[in-house]
Structures are given as C-alpha cells and as structure tokens.
Amino acid sequence: MNAEPSQDTTHPAEHWRSYEPLDLHPILMHTMEAFNEQGYHGTSVRDIASRVGVTVPALYYHYENKQALLATLLETSIKDVLDRCRAAAGEAGDDPLARFCGTVESIVLYMAHRQQLAFLDTEIRSLEPQNRARYVALRDYLEHMLLDTVEAGRAQGVFTTPIPADAVRSVLVMCQGVANWFREDGPLTAEEVAERHVLLSLGTVGHPGAVTGDLPFPFPRRSSLQPRSLSRTYAPQGSAPRSSG
C-alpha cells in the first residue's frame, strides 16, 4: 500500500455526519469506477489509463501496479469510516448506548454516501496477502470498537445479548450491506436508512426498548418509525415499485 500520488487522496470531514463530494485523485476516481463496473480482475491497467487519459507508463509513475490501486482505495475507505466512527464515539462520550447508536449511524451513513468506495470491500479477495492482512487489521479494529461498546453496555445492563461478538458481526454485516442496495433516488434518505439500522442493531444487541421502538435516541430523530412512514417504502397498489432505498 504505497506509491500514492503526491497530493492527498481525501480531505478529513469537518463533522462525521457531513459528506462533501468525493475528492479523489483522478487516477483513483477512474480506477474505482472501473473496478465497480468490471471487477478487479476484469479491469486492465491499460483500461484505467485510457479512462484517465494518460499513458500506461504515466500511470505507473504514480502507482506501482493495479494491486497498489486497489489497496490504496480500500485503505482510503476504511480509514475514512474509522475516523468518522471515532468522531461519533467521541461525541457520544462514555454512554455505551449513545456510542453504539452513533457508531452504527456513522457506518450506515458512510455506506450510503460513499457507496462506490464502500462497495469495493467485495474485492478484498483480490488483495495480495500483505495488503489483505493490513486491510483486515483495520476492519477488525472497527469491529473491536463496536464490541467494546457492547460489552460496556452489557456490564451496565443496557444490552442483553448473550453472544456479543456474534451480535456485533451481524450488525456490521447488515450495515455494510447498505452499500449493495441503497439508491439516492429511493424512498428513504441515507439518514432515514441510518436511523432504521440503529433500531435494528439495538434489537440485535438486546436493547429492551428495541422491540417496542420506545427508545431514548441519543441523536435527533429524522423520521417517524410508525407504519405511516414505513408505507413510503412501497409503491401504491397497481403502480410500479420504486427502487430500493
């Protein structure tokens, strides 16, 4: 995971809920698009160079090879989501409920707002052993952050799951899956999807109020969770369904 271009590939967000347009080096931007469209193995260095509008040698001036491009994109993504999760947890303070809700919300917002980057996690299988180990270590760090929060909540009686490690893995898989199906023109905004995933995640870790929806949300509610709001997810009878949100 080296040979990055001389300029920064990302700019730190001022707030973990804020998302400016994705600011990547043009080589990384076109590589991300190519990998999403064709897959890692289906994309050649020549194809990437053509998209960028440079020669293959010019591309190699910035990046050693195609593997370095994938590794840089994945590391850029996981570091961004980790920074945002740390900020959310820091804002929540020592309250495990607030930390859990903030972390889950942060992950889901990232999956929705940085969908193309987040989707590249499916290419982890294409990483060479050293790059894969580095990326997995960063991803594991996020899992341990959330697990520590759940364990703290269990100690205080906030969460009741008897299998915290399994519950945390389930929460992460569910949240990461948003990158696969979220659509900006769907019936739910990213913020509404995040709120619903917080509720679902609280049920997974055994928060007593998750079943009834009677929860002291530690962040501003953005949508009603009552059935009237849920009806937005479905098209009226006889009409074509909208894209998944």
Side-chain angles (χ1 to χ4, degrees):
M1 290 190 173
N2 49 22
E4 295 185 23
S6 57
Q7 69 184 78
D8 292 338
T9 56
T10 59
H11 299 285
E14 294 181 0
H15 187 270
W16 60 270
R17 287 191 179 101
S18 301
Y19 283 86
E20 298 297 327
L22 185 59
D23 183 18
L24 289 175
H25 188 280
I27 292 176
L28 290 176
M29 184 69 78
H30 286 289
T31 300
M32 176 187 70
E33 292 169 353
F35 287 167
N36 275 304
E37 293 170 13
Q38 303 167 176
Y40 175 79
H41 293 293
T43 301
S44 68
V45 174
R46 187 172 300 279
D47 178 30
I48 295 170
S50 176
R51 287 171 180 250
V52 179
V54 300
T55 64
V56 171
L59 190 68
Y60 284 141
Y61 175 80
H62 293 291
Y63 289 90
E64 182 180 357
N65 50 34
K66 187 173 70 168
Q67 176 69 196
L69 286 163
L70 176 62
T72 301
L73 283 167
L74 284 171
E75 185 174 4
T76 297
S77 180
I78 191 64
K79 284 184 175 180
D80 191 6
V81 72
L82 274 172
D83 286 344
R84 290 174 183 274
C85 286
R86 289 193 195 99
E91 184 179 293
D94 295 330
D95 177 9
L97 175 60
R99 289 174 68 89
F100 180 84
C101 291
T103 302
V104 170
E105 182 189 3
S106 180
I107 295 170
V108 175
L109 289 178
Y110 185 85
M111 297 300 148
H113 288 294
R114 291 289 184 260
Q115 193 171 12
Q116 283 191 295
L117 263 181
F119 185 74
L120 288 180
D121 183 77
T122 59
E123 290 289 356
I124 185 175
R125 62 188 182 276
S126 302
L127 287 173
E128 294 173 357
Q130 183 176 1
N131 290 332
R132 179 185 174 92
R134 181 181 176 91
Y135 178 71
V136 169
L138 291 169
R139 201 169 62 169
D140 285 350
Y141 182 86
L142 175 59
E143 182 177 331
H144 289 305
M145 278 181 57
L146 198 57
L147 180 58
D148 288 346
T149 299
V150 171
E151 291 285 19
R154 273 167 38 92
Q156 296 181 22
V158 175
F159 306 131
T160 61
T161 175
I163 45 173
D166 298 87
V168 165
R169 281 192 291 271
S170 297
V171 166
L172 289 174
V173 169
M174 176 175 63
C175 292
Q176 289 167 346
V178 171
N180 297 326
W181 58 261
F182 179 76
R183 296 293 178 268
E184 290 185 359
D185 61 350
L188 298 175
T189 66
E191 289 71 26
E192 289 171 329
V193 170
E195 184 174 311
R196 292 179 183 211
H197 275 67
V198 168
L199 179 60
L200 292 168
S201 298
L202 286 170
T204 302
V205 297
H207 188 284
V211 175
T212 62
D214 183 21
L215 290 162
F217 273 89
F219 54 82
R221 296 288 289 274
R222 294 176 180 78
S223 67
S224 170
L225 291 173
Q226 300 305 313
R228 186 166 62 88
S229 174
L230 290 173
S231 67
R232 295 180 57 212
T233 306
Y234 306 98
Q237 186 174 5
S239 64
R242 297 184 64 183
S243 59
S244 298

